[in-house]
Amino acid sequence: MRTRLWRLMALLLIVTCSVGITSCGGDEEKDEPDDPYVEDGYFYKDMIVGKWFSGTYGLAFGADGGGYDFAPTGDIDEYFRWHISGRKLTLNFEDSEKGVYDIVSLSFSEMVLKNANGVFSTYSRWTGSGAGNQVDDEPQVKGLLANTSWKGYIESPGVYIELEFYKNGTLKETFGNESKIIRYSEDGNKLMAESGVIRNTFGPEATFAVNGNRLKIYNSYDSWSLTRQN
């Protein structure tokens, strides 16, 4: 009798453990792939600021979170407040109407949005005149590096680095297999990056020199030599 009872208890213990393991295995969270273009929406927030046009109407985004839509003539139609979280763009209009869009892709020159009905819209950055120019606080960096791309091999630690400088004051650093979007600024021949590999290597202020298709970034104890890609 004791032997049969012991076997029954052992069987129950095995079943319980099996169920527990299966349950735990099902609760494991899969790691989401890293997206170098999104860091708490930071990259999209910087890139979207400005004016965009899609054939029949345009959208203007201010750096302060305000904006409006406008006609091809540049006349303003309606004002809104905008917010980005990850890949979601939300527009809150003055009449309490709300629009939520998926950001499918976004570059300096083109933006693709998908609305709640699954309809895609492609926008190009606005280059016209009129009311569309009333967006305030558009970040624009003027300097030798703005809208350029550079690549080079860094002997220590033995990886390639690629730097893409945008006019809106953001910089995409690709160091080996890792990418990050950060803010940067220029002052004469001084380059300031708020974080990332440049700041970690050269400190809060690096010196740079452009000679043809070559870029040198350096300080008193280190230097990089990069080749222009665009």
Side-chain angles (χ1 to χ4, degrees):
M1 181 66 179
R2 288 183 178 177
T3 301
R4 294 174 62 184
L5 180 60
W6 179 85
R7 288 178 179 175
L8 179 60
M9 291 177 65
L11 179 61
L12 289 173
L13 180 62
I14 292 173
V15 171
T16 302
C17 290
S18 299
V19 171
I21 292 172
T22 302
S23 175
C24 292
D27 290 340
E28 282 188 8
E29 295 183 1
K30 295 182 178 179
D31 293 334
E32 293 294 329
D34 292 333
D35 186 348
Y37 297 98
V38 181
E39 187 174 334
D40 297 328
Y42 177 73
F43 179 49
Y44 287 141
K45 287 177 183 176
D46 279 348
M47 290 296 292
I48 204 171
V49 171
K51 299 171 290 292
W52 303 86
F53 194 68
S54 181
T56 57
Y57 70 101
L59 297 172
F61 300 90
D64 60 353
Y68 51 82
D69 54 11
F70 60 94
T73 59
D75 295 330
I76 296 175
D77 182 22
E78 191 173 5
Y79 289 90
F80 57 74
R81 300 292 299 174
W82 65 274
H83 172 73
I84 289 180
S85 179
R87 292 182 180 273
K88 294 289 185 182
L89 167 65
T90 302
L91 307 182
N92 293 299
F93 289 88
E94 290 182 320
D95 60 2
S96 299
E97 183 181 351
K98 177 186 291 188
V100 181
Y101 304 87
D102 289 323
I103 301 174
V104 179
S105 65
L106 179 61
S107 67
F108 185 78
S109 59
E110 184 179 88
M111 172 174 64
V112 179
L113 301 179
K114 183 176 71 172
N115 67 16
N117 296 321
V119 178
F120 292 83
S121 299
T122 301
Y123 296 82
S124 298
R125 194 170 288 275
W126 172 261
T127 58
S129 60
N133 288 325
Q134 294 182 11
V135 174
D136 296 327
D137 302 325
E138 288 186 41
Q140 292 290 324
V141 173
K142 295 182 179 179
L144 293 175
L145 300 180
N147 207 28
T148 63
S149 176
W150 308 82
K151 187 175 183 179
Y153 184 76
I154 310 302
E155 293 187 0
S156 178
V159 297
Y160 281 95
I161 187 168
E162 187 168 0
L163 306 176
E164 298 176 53
F165 296 90
Y166 298 97
K167 289 182 179 179
N168 67 347
T170 58
L171 159 65
K172 179 183 176 184
E173 288 185 339
T174 302
F175 191 67
N177 295 323
E178 297 182 2
S179 295
K180 186 174 183 179
I181 303 298
I182 59 177
R183 290 183 182 273
Y184 84 97
S185 61
E186 296 179 46
D187 184 7
N189 67 338
K190 300 297 182 182
L191 171 63
M192 288 74 71
E194 69 168 10
S195 62
V197 181
I198 292 178
R199 188 180 181 92
N200 292 340
T201 304
F202 302 103
E205 184 177 276
T207 304
F208 74 92
V210 176
N211 184 7
N213 67 340
R214 303 291 293 177
L215 168 65
K216 181 180 180 181
I217 303 176
Y218 61 98
N219 58 16
S220 58
Y221 52 88
D222 208 344
S223 67
W224 292 350
S225 181
L226 311 177
T227 303
R228 186 160 184 169
Q229 302 298 300
N230 63 348

